[in-house]
Amino acid sequence: MDNKLNEKIRNKDFLDKVVSAEEAASWIEDGMTIGMSGFTLFGEPKVFPQALANRGNNEDFKINLYTGASMGPAADQSMAEAGIINLRMPYQGNAVQRKMINNGEISYIDQHLSHTAEQIRQGVLGDIDYAVIEAAAITEEGLIIPTGSVGNSPIFVQEADNVIIELNLTAPKEYEGLHDIYIPKDQGEDRGEIPVHNLHDRIGDIGIKVDPNKVRGIVLSEEADIPSPLFDPNEETQQIADNLLKFFEDEVDSGRLTKELAPLQSGVGSVANAVLSGMKESKFKDIVVASEVLQDGIFDLIDAGVVKFAAGTAFSLSEKRVKSLAEDLTKYQDRIVFRPQEISNNPEVIRRLGIISFNTALEADIYGNVNSTHVSGTRMMNGIGGSGDFARNARIAIFVTQSTAKDGKISTIVPFATHVDHTNHDVDVIVTEQGTADIRGLTPRQAAEEIINNCMHPDYKEQARDYFERAKELGGQTPHILSEAFSWHEALAENGTMKK
Ligand code: COA
C-alpha cells in the first residue's frame, strides 16, 4: 500500500493528508455547497458520497450538489434517498432523483453545461464550500490528475474554500497526459480568446493546480469506473443513423462538406451509438470529433481510420471498455484529449471550429422547436446538458428522435412543443426513422411541410396536416390554433394516447 501510495501521491505536502471517507464526510455542515467531479458516471468520487449518504441516513442535514453532469448511484441515488440533497445542478439522469425533483423534494436548476463555471466565477451561485474531486494521481508539482472526466472540476478546485481529493488507487496511471486543463480568466477586457484553433493543440496543464493548504483531506478508493449500458441499434435507431449518414453524404455531394465532414459532436445514447457504428462502413475519413462525451464507438472509429482525433470532457464507456481502459488509454493517448466542459462546450470554440452537432430530442414541433428536457412540458427528464451549447453555435444543428414513443402512443412530432429548449432558429435538421427535414433556409410554413411530410409517423400525419391546414386559415408567420396547440398532450393525459 505504501509503495502504491507513493506512486500516486508524488508530492510530499499531500502525503500526510490521508483520512477515512467517514472523517471527510463528517466535515460537511448543513447548508454547504459541494462541487463534485463527475460527468456521465465517469470521474466521480464514489466512497465519499456514499459515506455522506450513510451519515445522512442518521442525521438531519442538507447540501447543495453541483457537478459536471450526471453522477452514478452513490451521489445521485444514495444521497438523494438519504434526503440530503437540497439543490442539484446542472444536470442529472437518475430515475430516483428525477422522481424527487418532479415531486418537489429536490430543487433542481437545469443549465447549459458551459454556463456553470461562468456563473460560479461571477459569484451568482454562491460559495463552493468543498470541492470533492476524484484523482488518478497527484504529481510532483502538486497537480491533481483527474480520472475519466474533467467537467467542472477545475473551477470547483479554484473557487472552493476546501478541497477533498478522492484518490482512486485502481485508476489507470495512463490517465496522466489525457487531460488539457485550461481555465479562462474572468469575463472582461483581459480574458482574450480561448486559444483552441485545432482540436489537438494543447492549451493547458495535464492536471488541476491546487493550493496544498486548501486540501483538507485525501480519501482513498478502489472503486472501478461505472459502466454505461451499451445500446445495440434496433430497427428504428439504425434507420435514423442511416438517414443521418445519408444527409451527410448529400452535403458532401453538394460540395458543402468534404469527406472529412466538420468536427462532429454527438449526444449519447442509442441513436448516437448507431450513427457512430454506421460511420465505420461509411466513406467519411479523417474526421475529428469535438464532443462532450466520448463513447465506446470512438475507439473503433479511430481503428477504422474514420476518426483521426477526438476531444471531449468525459468518457461514457460500456463494461467491456471499462475493463480495457488502461490498454486503450495507452493505445489512443495521442488521439484523445479531455478539457473542462466550459472549453469543450464553449460557444466561441464551437463557432470557430464549425462543429456539426447532433443531439436527441424528446419532442419537436411542426415548426422545428425542440424540447429536450420536459415530458409533456412539465416533468423533468434529465436536463438540457450540452445540447444548447452546441446547437446554438453549431455549423449544422441536427436533432434526432424516433417519431413515436411508448409503443406509438406518443408522437414525438407535435403541433407545439410543450417546452422549448431549442427554438427553431437553433435547429437546422430533424431526423427520425421516417426521414430527414432540412429546414435551413425555410420559412416556418415551409419547415412545417418538410417536418410533417418527412419526419412524422404515418399514424399521426393526417391529424398534423389537419391542424396545420386549419391553423393556416387563421394566418400568422407561424400559424397556430392556440386552443388546440397542446390538445395532443391533453389527449395523452386523458386517454393514454395522442391518437385522435
Ligand atoms: N414524451 C414522453 N416520453 C418520451 C418522449 C416524449 N415525447 N420521447 C421519448 N420518451 C421516453 C422514451 O419512451 C424513453 O422512456 P423509457 O426510459 O421509459 O423507455 C425515454 O423517454 C428515453 O427515450 P429514448 O428514445 O430511449 O432516448 P434516449 O435514451 O436517447 O434519451 C433524451 C432521449 C432526450 C431523454 C436524452 O437524449 C436527453 O436527456 N437529452 C438532453 C441532453 C442532451 O441532449 N445531451 C447531449 C448533449 S452533449
Side-chain angles (χ1 to χ4, degrees):
M1 176 67 122
D2 270 0
N3 270 353
K4 184 98 187 163
L5 212 54
N6 286 327
E7 263 172 41
K8 290 268 179 190
I9 307 180
R10 306 203 301 265
N11 179 311
K12 63 176 177 5
D13 290 348
F14 292 80
L15 265 175
D16 61 355
K17 292 183 187 278
V18 175
V19 295
S20 70
E22 290 68 30
E23 183 177 347
S26 75
W27 301 332
I28 306 302
E29 293 166 23
D30 187 36
M32 279 188 165
T33 295
I34 301 183
M36 219 178 255
S37 66
F39 200 110
T40 38
L41 315 189
F42 253 73
E44 60 187 51
K46 296 150 191 100
V47 298
F48 173 85
Q50 192 54 55
L52 196 61
N54 296 346
R55 201 188 127 201
N57 286 325
N58 306 306
E59 267 179 65
D60 217 9
F61 68 95
K62 280 188 192 286
I63 57 140
N64 305 318
L65 178 62
Y66 303 173
T67 62
S70 51
M71 305 286 274
D76 268 350
Q77 185 152 337
S78 302
M79 288 192 0
E81 283 170 335
I84 60 169
I85 302 182
N86 170 51
L87 171 67
R88 179 78 179 87
M89 64 178 293
Y91 184 86
Q92 67 81 45
N94 181 278
V96 170
Q97 186 163 238
R98 176 183 302 136
K99 205 166 164 197
M100 294 175 77
I101 288 168
N102 287 319
N103 285 342
E105 292 168 79
I106 293 179
S107 304
Y108 181 51
I109 299 175
D110 172 34
Q111 217 175 32
H112 293 303
L113 294 186
S114 73
H115 283 196
T116 313
E118 297 283 28
Q119 290 198 350
I120 290 173
R121 213 173 270 121
Q122 291 160 16
V124 172
L125 302 176
D127 293 336
I128 309 284
D129 298 291
Y130 277 86
V132 185
I133 308 294
E134 189 185 59
I138 299 165
T139 66
E140 291 77 356
E141 302 77 23
L143 293 174
I144 300 172
I145 303 296
T147 54
S149 68
V150 178
N152 280 320
S153 301
I155 194 73
F156 291 153
V157 170
Q158 180 176 286
E159 298 293 323
D161 297 334
N162 303 282
V163 176
I164 295 170
I165 298 172
E166 181 166 314
L167 187 70
N168 194 316
L169 300 173
T170 62
K173 65 176 180 345
E174 291 77 6
Y175 268 132
E176 204 165 323
L178 173 70
H179 314 96
D180 183 31
I181 309 297
Y182 176 89
I183 307 185
K185 290 185 189 151
D186 286 358
Q187 276 168 323
E189 283 174 18
D190 67 344
R191 170 177 274 189
E193 62 172 339
I194 310 288
V196 178
H197 292 268
N198 293 300
L199 272 182
H200 55 267
D201 291 344
R202 288 189 161 264
I203 61 167
D205 297 314
I206 62 161
I208 304 169
K209 287 195 184 99
V210 63
D211 171 1
N213 296 320
K214 279 208 316 195
V215 178
R216 179 132 187 231
I218 297 177
V219 170
L220 303 181
S221 150
E222 300 198 20
E223 305 271 323
D225 284 312
I226 301 161
S228 291
L230 187 61
F231 304 95
D232 287 327
N234 61 29
E235 212 177 304
E236 287 182 331
T237 55
Q238 190 54 56
Q239 190 57 55
I240 296 172
D242 292 348
N243 293 345
L244 184 55
L245 292 168
K246 170 81 172 52
F247 168 78
F248 288 150
E249 279 165 19
D250 291 347
E251 286 294 290
V252 173
D253 291 344
S254 71
R256 285 193 286 260
L257 288 173
T258 65
K259 282 185 182 161
E260 294 175 7
L261 298 178
L264 203 61
Q265 177 264 333
S266 71
V268 287
S270 46
V271 178
N273 258 326
V275 172
L276 294 178
S277 69
M279 280 197 145
K280 264 190 294 189
E281 319 299 329
S282 71
K283 60 181 180 189
F284 307 117
K285 289 279 169 268
D286 291 334
I287 295 173
V288 292
V289 168
S291 232
E292 189 180 89
V293 170
L294 303 184
Q295 306 186 91
D296 283 35
I298 224 64
F299 298 115
D300 302 332
L301 289 176
I302 293 174
D303 287 342
V306 175
V307 166
K308 64 176 180 188
F309 193 82
T313 195
F315 280 130
S316 173
L317 300 177
S318 73
E319 191 148 18
K320 175 180 152 227
R321 286 291 181 180
V322 167
K323 285 193 179 131
S324 63
L325 191 59
E327 236 170 88
D328 289 339
L329 286 172
T330 311
K331 188 166 165 202
Y332 302 104
Q333 63 184 345
D334 51 357
R335 302 297 190 100
I336 294 178
V337 70
F338 280 172
R339 300 196 171 98
Q341 69 197 63
E342 64 170 326
I343 305 298
S344 63
N345 292 22
N346 192 287
E348 173 192 335
V349 175
I350 294 166
R351 187 65 71 89
R352 178 184 298 129
L353 298 177
I355 288 174
I356 300 173
S357 75
F358 73 93
N359 292 292
T360 310
L362 261 189
E363 69 179 6
D365 68 29
I366 55 173
Y367 296 111
N369 300 294
V370 165
N371 173 6
S372 293
T373 55
H374 285 71
V375 174
S376 281
T378 57
R379 293 189 307 282
M380 176 54 66
M381 180 59 125
N382 300 321
I384 194 167
S387 58
D389 290 325
F390 285 97
R392 166 58 63 89
N393 303 292
R395 169 182 183 154
I396 311 175
I398 302 166
F399 283 89
V400 298
T401 177
Q402 300 188 39
S403 68
T404 60
K406 305 290 177 210
D407 300 324
K409 296 191 185 76
I410 293 175
S411 172
T412 60
I413 312 288
V414 292
F416 206 154
T418 47
H419 175 95
V420 178
D421 294 290
H422 315 286
T423 72
N424 56 355
H425 312 82
D426 296 338
V427 178
D428 294 322
V429 179
I430 296 178
V431 184
T432 70
E433 80 290 350
Q434 301 296 323
T436 301
D438 180 354
I439 60 175
R440 292 172 296 174
L442 300 188
T443 66
R445 289 176 189 226
Q446 291 169 328
E449 292 285 354
E450 282 290 299
I451 292 170
I452 295 171
N453 288 340
N454 298 354
C455 295
M456 288 202 80
H457 193 278
D459 287 356
Y460 289 96
K461 259 189 188 167
E462 196 77 6
Q463 69 187 66
R465 181 147 293 289
D466 171 60
Y467 175 86
F468 180 48
E469 294 302 331
R470 286 185 297 113
K472 277 196 291 189
E473 285 169 22
L474 298 179
Q477 161 78 357
T478 307
H480 271 299
I481 309 165
L482 291 181
S483 58
E484 278 186 39
F486 298 133
S487 61
W488 296 23
H489 300 87
E490 284 170 353
L492 177 68
E494 276 162 34
N495 314 322
T497 175
M498 285 184 176
K499 275 187 211 150
K500 292 198 172 158

Coordinates of all heavy atoms in Angstrom, one line a residue, residues 259-325:
K259 N -15.2 15.0 -47.4 CA -15.3 13.6 -46.7 C -14.8 13.7 -45.3 O -15.0 12.7 -44.5 CB -14.5 12.6 -47.5 CG -15.2 12.1 -48.7 CD -14.5 11.0 -49.4 CE -15.3 10.7 -50.6 NZ -14.5 10.0 -51.6
E260 N -14.1 14.8 -44.9 CA -13.7 14.9 -43.5 C -14.8 15.5 -42.7 O -14.7 15.7 -41.5 CB -12.4 15.8 -43.4 CG -11.2 15.2 -44.0 CD -10.0 16.2 -44.0 OE1 -10.1 17.3 -43.4 OE2 -9.0 15.8 -44.6
L261 N -15.9 15.8 -43.4 CA -17.1 16.5 -42.7 C -16.6 17.8 -42.0 O -15.9 18.5 -42.6 CB -17.8 15.5 -41.8 CG -18.4 14.3 -42.4 CD1 -19.1 13.4 -41.4 CD2 -19.4 14.7 -43.5
A262 N -17.0 17.9 -40.8 CA -16.5 19.0 -40.0 C -16.5 18.4 -38.6 O -17.1 17.4 -38.3 CB -17.5 20.2 -40.0
P263 N -15.8 19.1 -37.6 CA -15.7 18.5 -36.3 C -17.1 18.1 -35.8 O -18.1 18.9 -35.9 CB -15.1 19.6 -35.4 CG -14.3 20.4 -36.4 CD -15.1 20.4 -37.7
L264 N -17.2 16.9 -35.3 CA -18.6 16.3 -35.0 C -18.8 16.2 -33.5 O -18.0 15.7 -32.8 CB -18.5 14.9 -35.6 CG -19.9 14.3 -36.0 CD1 -20.6 15.1 -37.1 CD2 -19.6 12.9 -36.6
Q265 N -20.0 16.7 -33.1 CA -20.4 16.5 -31.7 C -21.6 15.5 -31.7 O -22.5 15.7 -32.5 CB -20.8 17.8 -31.1 CG -21.3 17.7 -29.6 CD -22.9 17.6 -29.5 OE1 -23.6 18.1 -30.4 NE2 -23.4 16.9 -28.5
S266 N -21.6 14.5 -30.9 CA -22.7 13.6 -30.8 C -23.2 13.5 -29.4 O -22.4 13.5 -28.5 CB -22.4 12.3 -31.4 OG -21.6 11.6 -30.5
G267 N -24.5 13.5 -29.2 CA -25.1 13.2 -27.9 C -24.8 11.8 -27.5 O -24.1 11.1 -28.3
V268 N -25.3 11.4 -26.4 CA -25.1 10.0 -26.0 C -26.3 9.2 -26.2 O -27.4 9.8 -26.4 CB -24.6 9.9 -24.5 CG1 -23.2 10.4 -24.4 CG2 -25.5 10.6 -23.6
G269 N -26.2 7.9 -26.1 CA -27.4 7.0 -26.2 C -27.5 6.2 -27.4 O -26.5 6.1 -28.2
S270 N -28.7 5.7 -27.6 CA -28.8 4.6 -28.6 C -28.6 5.1 -30.1 O -27.9 4.5 -30.8 CB -30.2 4.0 -28.5 OG -31.2 5.1 -28.4
V271 N -29.2 6.3 -30.4 CA -29.0 6.8 -31.8 C -27.6 7.2 -32.0 O -27.0 6.8 -33.1 CB -29.9 8.0 -32.0 CG1 -29.7 8.5 -33.5 CG2 -31.4 7.6 -31.8
A272 N -27.0 7.9 -31.1 CA -25.6 8.3 -31.2 C -24.7 7.0 -31.5 O -23.8 7.0 -32.4 CB -25.1 9.0 -30.0
N273 N -24.9 6.0 -30.7 CA -24.2 4.8 -30.9 C -24.4 4.2 -32.3 O -23.4 3.7 -32.9 CB -24.6 3.7 -29.9 CG -23.5 3.6 -28.7 OD1 -22.3 3.8 -29.0 ND2 -24.0 3.4 -27.5
A274 N -25.6 4.2 -32.7 CA -25.9 3.6 -34.1 C -25.2 4.4 -35.2 O -24.7 3.9 -36.1 CB -27.4 3.6 -34.3
V275 N -25.2 5.7 -35.0 CA -24.6 6.6 -36.0 C -23.1 6.3 -36.0 O -22.5 6.1 -37.1 CB -24.8 8.1 -35.7 CG1 -24.0 9.0 -36.6 CG2 -26.3 8.4 -35.8
L276 N -22.5 6.3 -34.8 CA -21.1 6.0 -34.8 C -20.7 4.7 -35.4 O -19.7 4.6 -36.1 CB -20.5 6.1 -33.3 CG -20.6 7.5 -32.7 CD1 -20.2 7.5 -31.2 CD2 -19.9 8.6 -33.4
S277 N -21.5 3.7 -35.1 CA -21.2 2.4 -35.7 C -21.4 2.3 -37.2 O -20.7 1.7 -37.9 CB -21.8 1.2 -34.9 OG -23.1 1.2 -35.1
G278 N -22.5 3.1 -37.6 CA -22.7 3.2 -39.1 C -21.6 3.9 -39.8 O -21.3 3.6 -40.9
M279 N -20.9 4.8 -39.1 CA -19.8 5.5 -39.7 C -18.6 4.6 -40.1 O -17.8 5.0 -41.0 CB -19.3 6.6 -38.8 CG -20.3 7.8 -38.9 SD -19.5 9.2 -38.2 CE -20.2 10.5 -39.2
K280 N -18.5 3.5 -39.4 CA -17.4 2.6 -39.6 C -17.4 2.2 -41.1 O -16.4 2.0 -41.7 CB -17.5 1.4 -38.7 CG -16.6 1.5 -37.5 CD -16.6 0.2 -36.7 CE -17.9 -0.2 -36.2 NZ -17.9 -1.3 -35.3
E281 N -18.6 1.9 -41.6 CA -18.7 1.4 -43.0 C -18.9 2.6 -44.0 O -19.1 2.4 -45.2 CB -20.0 0.6 -43.2 CG -20.2 -0.4 -42.0 CD -19.1 -1.4 -41.8 OE1 -18.5 -1.7 -42.8 OE2 -18.8 -1.8 -40.7
S282 N -18.8 3.8 -43.5 CA -19.1 5.0 -44.4 C -17.9 5.4 -45.2 O -16.8 4.9 -45.0 CB -19.6 6.1 -43.6 OG -18.5 6.7 -42.9
K283 N -18.1 6.3 -46.1 CA -16.9 6.8 -46.9 C -16.2 8.0 -46.3 O -15.3 8.6 -46.9 CB -17.4 7.2 -48.3 CG -18.5 8.3 -48.4 CD -18.9 8.5 -49.9 CE -19.9 9.6 -49.9 NZ -20.5 9.8 -51.2
F284 N -16.7 8.4 -45.1 CA -16.0 9.5 -44.4 C -14.7 9.1 -43.8 O -14.5 8.0 -43.3 CB -16.9 10.1 -43.3 CG -18.3 10.4 -43.8 CD1 -19.4 9.7 -43.3 CD2 -18.5 11.3 -44.8 CE1 -20.7 9.9 -43.8 CE2 -19.8 11.5 -45.3 CZ -20.8 10.9 -44.8
K285 N -13.7 10.0 -43.9 CA -12.4 9.7 -43.4 C -11.8 10.9 -42.7 O -12.2 12.0 -42.9 CB -11.4 9.4 -44.6 CG -11.7 8.1 -45.4 CD -11.1 6.9 -44.7 CE -11.5 5.6 -45.2 NZ -12.7 5.0 -44.5
D286 N -10.9 10.5 -41.7 CA -10.1 11.6 -41.0 C -11.0 12.6 -40.4 O -10.6 13.8 -40.4 CB -9.1 12.3 -42.0 CG -8.0 11.3 -42.5 OD1 -7.7 10.4 -41.7 OD2 -7.5 11.5 -43.6
I287 N -12.1 12.2 -39.8 CA -13.0 13.1 -39.1 C -12.3 13.5 -37.7 O -11.7 12.6 -37.1 CB -14.3 12.4 -38.8 CG1 -15.0 12.2 -40.2 CG2 -15.2 13.2 -37.9 CD1 -16.3 11.3 -40.0
V288 N -12.6 14.7 -37.3 CA -12.3 15.0 -35.9 C -13.6 15.0 -35.1 O -14.6 15.5 -35.6 CB -11.4 16.2 -35.6 CG1 -10.0 16.1 -36.2 CG2 -12.1 17.5 -36.2
V289 N -13.6 14.5 -33.9 CA -14.7 14.5 -33.1 C -14.5 15.6 -32.0 O -13.5 15.6 -31.3 CB -15.0 13.1 -32.4 CG1 -16.0 13.2 -31.3 CG2 -15.4 12.1 -33.5
A290 N -15.5 16.5 -31.9 CA -15.4 17.6 -30.9 C -16.6 17.5 -30.1 O -17.6 18.2 -30.3 CB -15.3 18.9 -31.6
S291 N -16.6 16.6 -29.1 CA -17.8 16.3 -28.4 C -17.7 16.7 -26.9 O -16.7 17.2 -26.5 CB -18.1 14.8 -28.5 OG -19.4 14.6 -29.0
E292 N -18.8 16.3 -26.2 CA -18.8 16.5 -24.8 C -18.4 15.1 -24.2 O -17.4 15.0 -23.4 CB -20.2 16.8 -24.4 CG -20.4 17.3 -23.0 CD -21.9 17.6 -22.9 OE1 -22.7 16.7 -22.5 OE2 -22.3 18.7 -23.1
V293 N -19.0 14.1 -24.6 CA -18.8 12.7 -24.1 C -18.3 11.8 -25.2 O -18.8 11.9 -26.3 CB -20.1 12.2 -23.6 CG1 -20.0 10.7 -23.2 CG2 -20.6 13.0 -22.3
L294 N -17.3 11.0 -24.9 CA -16.8 10.1 -25.9 C -17.2 8.7 -25.4 O -17.0 8.2 -24.3 CB -15.2 10.1 -25.9 CG -14.6 11.5 -26.3 CD1 -13.1 11.3 -26.4 CD2 -15.2 12.0 -27.6
Q295 N -17.9 8.0 -26.4 CA -18.5 6.7 -26.1 C -17.6 5.6 -26.7 O -16.7 5.9 -27.5 CB -19.9 6.6 -26.7 CG -20.8 7.6 -26.2 CD -22.3 7.3 -26.7 OE1 -23.0 6.7 -26.1 NE2 -22.6 7.8 -27.9
D296 N -18.0 4.3 -26.4 CA -17.2 3.2 -26.9 C -16.8 3.3 -28.4 O -15.7 3.0 -28.8 CB -18.0 1.9 -26.9 CG -18.1 1.4 -25.5 OD1 -18.2 2.2 -24.5 OD2 -18.2 0.2 -25.3
G297 N -17.8 3.7 -29.2 CA -17.6 3.7 -30.7 C -16.4 4.5 -31.2 O -15.9 4.2 -32.2
I298 N -16.0 5.4 -30.4 CA -14.9 6.3 -30.8 C -13.6 5.5 -31.0 O -12.9 5.7 -32.0 CB -14.6 7.4 -29.7 CG1 -14.4 8.7 -30.4 CG2 -13.5 7.2 -28.8 CD1 -15.5 9.3 -31.2
F299 N -13.4 4.5 -30.2 CA -12.1 3.7 -30.3 C -12.2 2.9 -31.6 O -11.2 2.8 -32.4 CB -12.0 2.7 -29.1 CG -11.8 3.4 -27.8 CD1 -12.8 3.3 -26.8 CD2 -10.7 4.2 -27.5 CE1 -12.7 3.9 -25.6 CE2 -10.6 4.8 -26.3 CZ -11.5 4.7 -25.3
D300 N -13.4 2.3 -31.9 CA -13.5 1.6 -33.2 C -13.3 2.5 -34.4 O -12.7 2.1 -35.4 CB -14.9 0.9 -33.3 CG -15.2 0.0 -32.1 OD1 -14.2 -0.5 -31.5 OD2 -16.3 -0.1 -31.7
L301 N -13.8 3.7 -34.3 CA -13.7 4.6 -35.4 C -12.3 5.1 -35.7 O -11.8 5.3 -36.8 CB -14.6 5.8 -35.2 CG -16.1 5.5 -35.4 CD1 -16.9 6.8 -35.0 CD2 -16.5 5.0 -36.7
I302 N -11.5 5.2 -34.6 CA -10.1 5.5 -34.7 C -9.4 4.3 -35.4 O -8.6 4.5 -36.4 CB -9.4 5.8 -33.4 CG1 -10.0 7.1 -32.8 CG2 -7.9 6.0 -33.5 CD1 -9.6 7.5 -31.4
D303 N -9.7 3.1 -35.0 CA -9.1 1.9 -35.6 C -9.4 1.8 -37.1 O -8.6 1.5 -37.9 CB -9.6 0.6 -34.9 CG -9.0 0.5 -33.5 OD1 -8.0 1.1 -33.2 OD2 -9.6 -0.3 -32.7
A304 N -10.7 2.2 -37.4 CA -11.1 2.1 -38.8 C -10.6 3.3 -39.7 O -10.8 3.3 -40.9 CB -12.6 2.1 -38.9
G305 N -9.9 4.2 -39.0 CA -9.3 5.3 -39.8 C -10.4 6.4 -40.1 O -10.1 7.3 -40.9
V306 N -11.5 6.2 -39.6 CA -12.6 7.2 -39.8 C -12.4 8.5 -39.0 O -12.6 9.6 -39.5 CB -14.0 6.6 -39.6 CG1 -15.1 7.6 -39.7 CG2 -14.2 5.4 -40.5
V307 N -12.0 8.2 -37.7 CA -11.7 9.4 -36.8 C -10.2 9.5 -36.6 O -9.6 8.5 -36.4 CB -12.5 9.2 -35.5 CG1 -12.0 10.1 -34.4 CG2 -14.0 9.4 -35.7
K308 N -9.7 10.7 -36.8 CA -8.3 10.8 -36.5 C -8.0 11.4 -35.1 O -6.9 11.3 -34.6 CB -7.6 11.6 -37.6 CG -8.0 13.0 -37.8 CD -7.2 13.7 -38.9 CE -7.6 15.1 -39.0 NZ -7.0 15.8 -40.2
F309 N -8.9 12.2 -34.6 CA -8.7 12.8 -33.3 C -10.0 13.1 -32.6 O -11.0 13.4 -33.3 CB -7.9 14.1 -33.4 CG -7.4 14.6 -32.1 CD1 -6.2 14.1 -31.6 CD2 -8.1 15.6 -31.4 CE1 -5.7 14.5 -30.4 CE2 -7.6 16.0 -30.2 CZ -6.4 15.5 -29.7
A310 N -10.0 12.9 -31.3 CA -11.3 13.2 -30.5 C -11.0 14.0 -29.3 O -10.1 13.7 -28.5 CB -12.0 11.9 -30.2
A311 N -11.8 15.0 -29.1 CA -11.7 15.8 -27.9 C -13.1 15.8 -27.2 O -14.1 15.8 -27.8 CB -11.3 17.3 -28.2
G312 N -13.1 15.8 -25.9 CA -14.3 15.8 -25.1 C -14.1 16.3 -23.7 O -13.0 16.9 -23.4
T313 N -15.0 16.0 -22.8 CA -14.7 16.3 -21.4 C -14.9 15.1 -20.5 O -14.5 15.1 -19.4 CB -15.6 17.5 -20.9 OG1 -15.1 18.0 -19.6 CG2 -17.1 17.0 -20.7
A314 N -15.4 14.0 -21.1 CA -15.6 12.8 -20.3 C -15.8 11.6 -21.2 O -16.3 11.7 -22.3 CB -16.9 12.9 -19.4
F315 N -15.5 10.4 -20.6 CA -15.9 9.1 -21.2 C -17.2 8.7 -20.8 O -17.7 9.1 -19.7 CB -14.9 8.0 -20.8 CG -13.6 8.0 -21.4 CD1 -12.4 7.9 -20.7 CD2 -13.5 7.9 -22.8 CE1 -11.2 7.8 -21.3 CE2 -12.3 7.9 -23.5 CZ -11.1 7.8 -22.7
S316 N -17.9 7.9 -21.6 CA -19.1 7.2 -21.1 C -18.9 5.8 -21.8 O -19.1 5.7 -23.0 CB -20.4 7.9 -21.6 OG -21.5 7.1 -21.3
L317 N -18.4 4.9 -21.0 CA -18.0 3.6 -21.6 C -18.8 2.4 -21.1 O -19.2 2.4 -20.0 CB -16.5 3.4 -21.4 CG -15.6 4.5 -21.9 CD1 -14.1 4.2 -21.5 CD2 -15.7 4.6 -23.4
S318 N -18.9 1.4 -21.9 CA -19.5 0.1 -21.5 C -18.5 -0.7 -20.7 O -17.4 -0.4 -20.6 CB -19.9 -0.7 -22.8 OG -18.7 -1.2 -23.3
E319 N -19.1 -1.7 -20.1 CA -18.3 -2.6 -19.2 C -17.0 -3.1 -19.9 O -15.9 -3.1 -19.3 CB -19.1 -3.8 -18.7 CG -18.5 -4.5 -17.6 CD -19.5 -5.1 -16.7 OE1 -20.7 -5.2 -17.1 OE2 -19.1 -5.5 -15.6
K320 N -17.2 -3.5 -21.2 CA -16.0 -4.1 -21.9 C -14.9 -3.0 -22.0 O -13.7 -3.3 -21.7 CB -16.5 -4.4 -23.3 CG -15.5 -4.9 -24.2 CD -16.0 -5.2 -25.6 CE -15.0 -5.0 -26.7 NZ -15.4 -4.3 -27.8
R321 N -15.2 -1.8 -22.3 CA -14.2 -0.7 -22.4 C -13.7 -0.3 -21.1 O -12.6 0.2 -21.0 CB -14.8 0.4 -23.3 CG -14.9 0.1 -24.7 CD -13.6 0.0 -25.4 NE -13.7 -0.3 -26.8 CZ -12.7 -0.4 -27.7 NH1 -11.4 -0.4 -27.2 NH2 -12.9 -0.7 -28.9
V322 N -14.5 -0.4 -20.1 CA -14.0 0.0 -18.7 C -12.9 -1.0 -18.4 O -11.8 -0.6 -17.9 CB -15.2 -0.1 -17.7 CG1 -14.6 0.0 -16.3 CG2 -16.1 1.1 -17.9
K323 N -13.1 -2.3 -18.7 CA -12.1 -3.3 -18.4 C -10.8 -3.1 -19.2 O -9.7 -3.3 -18.7 CB -12.6 -4.7 -18.7 CG -13.6 -5.1 -17.7 CD -14.0 -6.6 -17.8 CE -14.9 -7.0 -16.7 NZ -16.1 -7.8 -17.2
S324 N -10.9 -2.6 -20.4 CA -9.7 -2.5 -21.2 C -9.1 -1.0 -21.2 O -8.3 -0.7 -22.1 CB -9.9 -2.9 -22.7 OG -10.9 -2.1 -23.3
L325 N -9.6 -0.2 -20.3 CA -9.3 1.2 -20.3 C -7.8 1.5 -20.3 O -7.3 2.4 -21.1 CB -10.0 1.9 -19.1 CG -10.0 3.4 -19.1 CD1 -10.7 4.0 -20.4 CD2 -10.7 4.0 -17.9

